[in-house]
Amino acid sequence: MQHERFRKHGKDVIDWIADYMTNGYDGPVFPKTQPGEVLAQLPMEPPQEAEPGEQVFADFESLILPHTTHWNDPRFYAYFPANHSGPGILGDLLSAGLGVNGMSWVTSPAATELEMRMIDWLGHMLKLPWRGCIQDTASTATFCALLAAREQVADVNQSGFYQQQPMTVYASKHAHSSMQKAVWMAGFGERYLRLVPGNDDDFAMDAAVLAQMVAEDIAAGFRPTFVMSTVGTTSSTAIDPVHAVADICEANNMWHHVDAALAGTAAILPEMRWILDGTERADSFCFNPHKWMFTNFDCSVLLVKSPDALKKAMAINPEYLKAGHDAVVENFRDWGPQLGRRFRALKLWYVIRCFGVAGLQDKIRAHLNMTRWFADQVRAEPRTHLLTEPKINTVCFHLDDDAATKALMKAVNDSGEAYLSHTVLRDRYVIRVSFGQIHQSQQHVATLWGLISRLLP
Amino acid sequence: MQHERFRKHGKDVIDWIADYMTNGYDGPVFPKTQPGEVLAQLPMEPPQEAEPGEQVFADFESLILPHTTHWNDPRFYAYFPANHSGPGILGDLLSAGLGVNGMSWVTSPAATELEMRMIDWLGHMLKLPWRGCIQDTASTATFCALLAAREQVADVNQSGFYQQQPMTVYASKHAHSSMQKAVWMAGFGERYLRLVPGNDDDFAMDAAVLAQMVAEDIAAGFRPTFVMSTVGTTSSTAIDPVHAVADICEANNMWHHVDAALAGTAAILPEMRWILDGTERADSFCFNPHKWMFTNFDCSVLLVKSPDALKKAMAINPEYLKAGHDAVVENFRDWGPQLGRRFRALKLWYVIRCFGVAGLQDKIRAHLNMTRWFADQVRAEPRTHLLTEPKINTVCFHLDDDAATKALMKAVNDSGEAYLSHTVLRDRYVIRVSFGQIHQSQQHVATLWGLISRLLP
C-alpha cells in the first residue's frame, strides 16, 4: 500500500469509525452466526498478489461486521464493557503509527516516562499514589502479583518449588477465573488454592472463614502466601471486605492483591471512593481502564506498593539489552512477563486529557444512575427479582424459575436488540445486565427495559 | 470528544502518519534524552476539564516525538525491527474502532474464525500447516509451550510441583532471555535450566552436548521435559540444528519448541525455507509478524502440533463464560494466559492481502540483499571484521579492540543518523546491524555505510 493510498483509505476508515460511534451498528448487536460460517467464506490460501485496502474493507463490511458481537454498540450489556472512545482510538492510532517497542527506557524514553506520569495521574484520581505500570489484562496483573508474592517467600525463580514448604493462596469463591489460572501457571497447584465462600446475601468474601483457613493451613505445615480481595466480582460486583482481609494478611505476612478490574474506575468518583477503602494497606492493586474508563483494550493498570518486589520476580538483563542509564531509569520489561511493550500510555494520555477528570466522572455517574434506574424497574415488576442489591454497574435478576430466566435471556439476545450474559449464583440461573458502554444513554436503557417487559412470560 | 471532532482530528492523525511513513522523522532517530527529562515536562496532576485532541497532538509533537526512539524510521538498525505498515495500521485501527474482546468464539465469531484462517494462511506460507493462534509476544509463546510441556509430564496445574520428579529444560546459551524468564514464571527454577553451548564458529547449539546433558540429567534422577531450538538467535541470528535436536527430543519424549521470532518470516521465501527444516518434527513453533512481517506490534504467532496439549494447560471455563457451541468452537482464551483478547487477526488480514505473498517476499528479499551488501563492505574494509557470516538479516562486526568498537557505536548513535545496538560474543563487544525496517532501501544502507566509514578510527 503506497503512502498516498494509506492516506486516502485511512480517512475512509476514520469516517467509518465516526459513523459507527455515532449510529451504532445497523444490524443485530449479537450475531446469529453458526460455527464455521465465517471460515467457510474465507479463502483457504492467501493471495499471491496485492489487493487494494478498499477491497479488504469491503469484505470487512460484508463478512466481518455481520458476524461480530458489537461490544461498542450501546445495546451491549453483557459481561463487563470493553470500551473504546474517540480519544482512546486516536492515542492507539498514534501508537500504531510510531510503532515503538517500549521494552526499555532507552528504546523510547518518552514511552516509559509518559507511562510513569499516567500512573501518577491515575494514582491521583484513585487516591492511591503508588507506582506501577500498564499490563495487558487483569489476568496478567494477578499473575504478576502472585509471582512477586512467591519470590518474597521463596526463591522459586532460581530453585524451583521442589524443596519449598507448600505455599497456599486464597481468594473469594466469586473471584475471577484468572486467579485459578495464575495459580496453575505459576506452579502453585490448584490443591493449594483456597476459595473462600462469600456470604449468601451479597457474595462478599467471609473474612472469618479466610482467617480460619489460614490458621488451618499453618497448622498443616503450609505457608500462606497470597490473598486476592476482589472489589466488584465478575458475577455480581460483590465487594470483599478489604480491611478485614488486610488484618489477616498483615498478621500472617501475606501478600495482599486487590483486583478491581471493573470497579476501580468507579473510585474516581468521590462518592464511590469507599469501595477501595483498605486498599492502601494492600501490596498491589489492579484496575482496567480498558473496561469502564474508555481506553481501548488492552490497558490494565497494576499498582504496587513495593516495585522492588515485582522487579525481583521479573527482571532479566541480557547483554543485548544493556544500556546506559540502566541504574537510574525504569525498564518496564522488568515489571511484567513480556519483553516487548506497545506504547499504551498514549491512549491513556488522550483519554484523560480529552475527557478531563470531570468528564470521566460525569460518564461514570450517568452509568451508575442507569444501573439504579434499571434496578428500580426490576424491583417494581412482580415477575422479575433482584438477586442482590446492585453495588456498582451490574444488575443481577431472575424470574421465578431457571427455565423462564434462560428463555427470557435467549429471547432478548435473539432479538438482536440487546445482548445480555448470565451467571449462576445461589444455584440459580441469573441474568446480568452490565451498564457502562460509552455510547449508552438513559434512552437506551429505557428501550432495553421495554424490550424485556414485552418478552416477560 | 464529540464524534465530529474525532472525524476531523482523526484525519489529521492519518495525515501525520502518512507523512511520517513517507519522510521518516525530521530529527535524530535516537534521542539524546536525559532520564527524567520528559517526566519533568508533564504536569503532575491530570486536567479536571476536557482539552481538545489537537492540544494533545501538539504536545505529542513537541514533547513525545523528540524523546522517542524511532523504530519505524529507516535509520533504525538496532535490536530487531518492530515494523508497522500502512495495512497493519489500518487493520489495527479498525480493531480499535470495533473494540471487540475476542476471548471466546461467541464474544465475536468473526474474530475467532478470521484468526483461524490467518493461521491457515501463515501455515501455508511457511509450509507448516499446524493450528495455532496469535499471542502478544514470543515471550508468551515460549511460556505457553513450556506450560503445555509441563502439563504433559505432570499435573502441576492441580498438584503443584512439590511431589514431582524435577523437570529439566534446555535451550541454547544464545537463546532469548524469555526462555529463562519462562522457566522462572512457570516455577521450574533456573537451576533446572540447562544452557547448551553454541559452537564457536556460528553460535549454533551443539546438539552433542545437549544429548550428553539430557543423559546426565536422567542419570541424576531428573525428568528432561522441554527443549527450545532457536532459529535466528537475538545476538547473531544463529540457527540451531533443529533435526539433531528433534532426534534427541523424540528419543527422550521431550517437548520441542522452535523459536523463530525474527527469522520465521524469512521462511516465506522458497530459497530460505531451509531454515525451518526439521520444525515439522517439533511440537510447537513461534514467529513474530510484528517483527519482520510488517504487522503492527503485538502479533506473535504460536503454532502447535497438538492444540489439546496447549488447551489442557490453559483451559478454564467459569460459569459466566459458558456459551452455546462451546463443544464445537475454539475459544482462544483457552490457548494462552490472558482472558481478554484484542481482534489482532484484522491487521494480519490487511497485511497479507494488501502486500500479497509475492509483495511480502519482495520486501524480505530486498532486506536480505541489503544484509549481504553490508557484509561485503565490512569484509572489504580492513578496519572492520565480521564476527561470523550473517545467516539472516543481521551483521555482527567489530573493530580491532572493544574500546574502538564501543566508541564507533556511540559515535554512530550520537550522530542521530542511525541507531545500532550491541551484544557480546566470544568475549568481544560486537555491533549488530539488523536490516528489515519497512522503509529501508539500499540507499539508506549505503548512507549508513558511508557514515560508519567516516567515523572509523
Side-chain angles (χ1 to χ4, degrees):
Chain A
M1 187 183 284
Q2 294 307 305
H3 301 154
E4 294 313 307
R5 296 196 71 161
F6 166 84
R7 193 188 300 273
K8 183 177 171 304
H9 183 42
K11 291 177 184 177
D12 295 341
V13 172
I14 291 286
D15 274 329
W16 180 84
I17 293 174
D19 292 343
Y20 183 72
M21 289 199 294
T22 307
N23 308 319
Y25 177 58
D26 179 27
V29 59
F30 178 63
K32 288 188 184 159
T33 308
Q34 291 303 306
E37 194 173 345
V38 180
L39 261 183
Q41 297 175 71
L42 290 162
M44 291 293 291
E45 294 183 7
Q48 277 302 304
E49 301 305 326
E51 299 179 71
E54 288 77 1
Q55 183 58 49
V56 185
F57 186 77
D59 291 346
F60 168 80
E61 286 198 290
S62 66
L63 179 56
I64 302 299
L65 280 180
H67 299 290
T68 292
T69 304
H70 291 273
W71 287 67
N72 277 289
D73 185 288
R75 298 167 295 173
F76 185 95
Y77 302 90
Y79 310 105
F80 283 141
N83 275 303
H84 70 188
S85 67
I89 293 167
L90 294 182
D92 205 22
L93 175 58
L94 274 176
S95 169
L98 278 184
V100 308
N101 180 341
M103 58 191 180
S104 308
W105 180 87
V106 74
T107 66
S108 190
T112 296
E113 298 198 5
L114 186 64
E115 183 163 338
M116 292 169 76
R117 187 60 91 223
M118 290 307 100
I119 296 293
D120 293 337
W121 286 12
L122 293 171
H124 180 86
M125 290 158 69
L126 294 169
K127 298 189 173 54
L128 194 66
W130 288 355
R131 294 173 66 198
C133 70
I134 303 174
Q135 306 281 354
D136 48 17
T137 62
S139 304
T140 299
T142 300
F143 181 57
C144 288
L146 184 64
L147 293 177
R150 191 187 76 180
E151 295 307 301
Q152 277 209 325
V153 167
D155 189 357
V156 173
N157 278 352
Q158 293 304 319
S159 307
F161 268 96
Y162 305 104
Q163 310 303 323
Q164 311 289 351
Q165 183 184 13
M167 289 173 256
T168 47
V169 173
Y170 309 81
S172 163
K173 191 182 144 206
H174 302 287
H176 193 264
S177 60
S178 53
M179 178 76 255
Q180 181 187 354
K181 198 155 174 173
V183 162
W184 288 7
M185 295 192 297
F188 286 72
E190 191 168 336
R191 63 181 286 198
Y192 301 102
L193 170 63
R194 317 295 181 220
L195 294 182
V196 188
N199 72 56
D200 254 2
D201 173 35
D202 68 357
F203 311 104
M205 186 199 283
D206 188 328
V209 178
L210 170 65
Q212 187 187 331
M213 285 174 160
V214 169
E216 285 170 6
D217 281 328
I218 293 171
F222 301 144
R223 173 72 173 91
T225 299
F226 180 94
V227 185
M228 182 168 86
S229 293
T230 306
V231 172
T233 59
T234 309
S235 280
S236 70
T237 64
I239 299 173
D240 288 344
V242 178
H243 266 302
V245 173
D247 289 341
I248 297 164
C249 289
E250 288 168 7
N252 294 280
N253 199 22
M254 303 164 75
W255 186 286
H256 185 190
H257 177 66
V258 177
D259 172 23
L262 176 276
T265 298
I268 70 170
L269 300 179
E271 68 270 27
M272 290 296 289
R273 175 57 180 77
W274 63 268
I275 63 175
L276 298 189
D277 279 356
T279 301
E280 65 284 354
R281 297 171 61 195
D283 298 286
S284 53
F285 166 82
C286 167
F287 93 109
N288 293 352
H290 72 226
K291 284 196 164 73
W292 199 7
M293 220 184 84
F294 319 120
T295 309
N296 284 60
F297 187 89
D298 44 12
C299 186
S300 175
V301 169
L302 174 65
L303 302 180
V304 285
K305 191 179 275 172
S306 161
D308 286 347
L310 183 62
K311 288 189 272 186
K312 184 185 171 207
M314 293 291 194
I316 275 183
N317 199 11
E319 182 63 40
Y320 47 78
L321 295 181
K322 285 178 184 160
H325 305 309
D326 272 352
V328 294
V329 298
E330 290 304 338
N331 291 317
F332 278 131
R333 67 176 194 260
D334 295 340
W335 294 56
Q338 301 92 349
L339 173 59
R341 301 183 91 248
R342 189 177 167 102
F343 192 172
R344 287 176 292 207
L346 272 178
K347 57 188 172 187
L348 261 177
W349 197 38
Y350 257 87
V351 165
I352 298 175
R353 292 183 64 180
C354 293
F355 281 90
V357 174
L360 292 170
Q361 290 171 329
D362 288 348
K363 274 274 182 201
I364 306 299
R365 239 178 231 123
H367 287 138
L368 293 174
N369 285 335
M370 294 173 203
T371 312
R372 279 187 283 266
W373 182 87
F374 189 89
D376 288 343
Q377 312 314 304
V378 171
R379 226 179 261 109
E381 162 61 53
R383 289 167 293 178
T384 56
H385 314 293
L386 284 180
L387 183 80
T388 182
E389 286 300 312
K391 290 285 184 307
I392 320 262
N393 74 326
T394 302
V395 175
C396 291
F397 78 97
H398 58 89
L399 308 191
D400 285 326
D401 66 85
D402 279 3
T405 310
K406 272 185 205 181
L408 172 65
M409 191 174 99
K410 184 170 187 309
V412 170
N413 288 350
D414 283 353
S415 77
E417 289 309 311
Y419 183 39
L420 313 175
S421 66
H422 82 285
T423 192
V424 171
L425 285 168
R426 277 189 225 123
D427 295 324
R428 217 177 240 297
Y429 192 92
V430 175
I431 296 175
R432 296 169 71 266
V433 187
S434 193
F435 302 90
Q437 205 290 317
I438 187 170
H439 307 302
Q440 248 159 27
S441 67
Q442 175 58 32
Q443 194 184 330
H444 293 111
V445 181
T447 302
L448 170 66
W449 181 251
L451 174 68
I452 289 174
S453 302
R454 282 197 305 281
L455 293 171
L456 277 175
Chain B
M1 188 183 284
Q2 295 306 306
H3 302 154
E4 293 314 308
R5 296 196 71 160
F6 166 85
R7 192 189 300 272
K8 181 175 172 305
H9 183 41
K11 292 176 183 178
D12 296 340
V13 172
I14 291 287
D15 274 328
W16 181 83
I17 294 174
D19 292 343
Y20 183 72
M21 289 199 294
T22 307
N23 308 317
Y25 176 57
D26 179 26
V29 60
F30 177 64
K32 288 188 185 159
T33 308
Q34 291 303 306
E37 194 174 343
V38 180
L39 260 183
Q41 297 175 71
L42 289 162
M44 292 292 292
E45 294 183 6
Q48 278 301 304
E49 301 305 326
E51 299 178 73
E54 287 78 0
Q55 182 58 50
V56 185
F57 185 77
D59 292 346
F60 168 80
E61 286 198 289
S62 66
L63 179 56
I64 302 301
L65 280 181
H67 299 290
T68 292
T69 304
H70 292 273
W71 287 68
N72 277 290
D73 184 287
R75 297 168 294 171
F76 185 95
Y77 302 91
Y79 308 106
F80 282 143
N83 275 304
H84 71 189
S85 68
I89 293 168
L90 294 182
D92 205 21
L93 174 58
L94 274 175
S95 169
L98 278 183
V100 308
N101 180 341
M103 58 191 180
S104 308
W105 180 87
V106 74
T107 66
S108 190
T112 297
E113 298 196 4
L114 186 63
E115 185 163 337
M116 292 168 76
R117 187 60 90 222
M118 289 308 100
I119 297 293
D120 292 338
W121 286 12
L122 292 171
H124 179 86
M125 291 158 69
L126 294 170
K127 298 192 174 48
L128 193 67
W130 288 354
R131 294 175 64 198
C133 70
I134 303 174
Q135 305 282 353
D136 46 19
T137 61
S139 305
T140 300
T142 301
F143 181 57
C144 288
L146 184 63
L147 292 178
R150 191 188 77 180
E151 295 307 301
Q152 277 208 326
V153 167
D155 189 356
V156 172
N157 278 352
Q158 292 305 318
S159 306
F161 268 95
Y162 305 104
Q163 311 302 323
Q164 311 289 351
Q165 184 184 12
M167 289 174 255
T168 47
V169 173
Y170 309 81
S172 164
K173 190 182 145 209
H174 302 287
H176 193 262
S177 60
S178 54
M179 178 75 257
Q180 180 186 356
K181 198 155 174 174
V183 162
W184 288 7
M185 295 192 295
F188 286 73
E190 192 169 335
R191 62 180 289 195
Y192 300 102
L193 171 64
R194 316 293 181 225
L195 293 182
V196 187
N199 70 58
D200 255 2
D201 173 36
D202 68 356
F203 311 104
M205 186 198 283
D206 186 329
V209 178
L210 170 65
Q212 186 186 332
M213 284 175 160
V214 169
E216 285 170 6
D217 282 329
I218 292 171
F222 302 145
R223 171 75 174 88
T225 299
F226 180 94
V227 185
M228 182 167 87
S229 293
T230 305
V231 172
T233 58
T234 310
S235 281
S236 69
T237 65
I239 299 174
D240 288 343
V242 178
H243 266 301
V245 174
D247 290 340
I248 297 164
C249 289
E250 287 167 8
N252 294 281
N253 199 21
M254 301 164 77
W255 187 286
H256 185 189
H257 177 65
V258 177
D259 173 23
L262 176 276
T265 297
I268 71 170
L269 299 180
E271 68 272 27
M272 289 295 289
R273 175 58 179 78
W274 62 269
I275 63 174
L276 297 189
D277 279 357
T279 302
E280 65 285 353
R281 296 172 61 193
D283 298 286
S284 52
F285 166 82
C286 167
F287 92 110
N288 292 353
H290 71 226
K291 282 196 166 72
W292 199 7
M293 220 185 82
F294 319 119
T295 309
N296 283 60
F297 187 90
D298 45 12
C299 185
S300 175
V301 168
L302 174 65
L303 302 181
V304 285
K305 192 179 271 171
S306 160
D308 285 347
L310 183 61
K311 289 190 273 184
K312 184 185 173 207
M314 293 292 197
I316 275 183
N317 198 10
E319 182 63 39
Y320 47 79
L321 294 181
K322 286 179 183 159
H325 304 308
D326 271 351
V328 294
V329 298
E330 289 305 337
N331 292 316
F332 278 132
R333 67 175 195 262
D334 295 339
W335 294 55
Q338 301 93 349
L339 174 58
R341 301 184 93 249
R342 188 176 168 105
F343 191 171
R344 288 177 291 208
L346 273 177
K347 56 188 173 189
L348 262 177
W349 197 40
Y350 256 86
V351 165
I352 299 174
R353 293 183 64 181
C354 292
F355 281 88
V357 174
L360 292 170
Q361 289 170 329
D362 288 347
K363 274 273 181 202
I364 306 300
R365 240 178 231 125
H367 288 138
L368 293 174
N369 286 335
M370 294 172 205
T371 311
R372 278 187 282 265
W373 181 88
F374 189 88
D376 288 343
Q377 312 314 305
V378 171
R379 226 180 263 109
E381 161 59 55
R383 289 167 293 179
T384 55
H385 315 292
L386 283 180
L387 184 80
T388 182
E389 286 301 311
K391 291 285 185 305
I392 320 263
N393 74 325
T394 301
V395 176
C396 291
F397 78 98
H398 58 89
L399 308 191
D400 285 326
D401 65 85
D402 279 4
T405 311
K406 271 186 206 180
L408 173 65
M409 191 174 99
K410 184 170 186 310
V412 170
N413 289 350
D414 283 354
S415 77
E417 289 311 310
Y419 183 38
L420 313 175
S421 65
H422 82 286
T423 191
V424 171
L425 284 169
R426 280 190 225 123
D427 294 325
R428 216 178 243 296
Y429 193 92
V430 175
I431 296 177
R432 297 168 69 264
V433 186
S434 193
F435 301 90
Q437 204 292 316
I438 186 170
H439 308 302
Q440 247 158 28
S441 67
Q442 175 57 32
Q443 194 184 332
H444 293 110
V445 181
T447 301
L448 170 66
W449 180 252
L451 175 69
I452 289 173
S453 302
R454 281 197 305 282
L455 294 170
L456 277 176

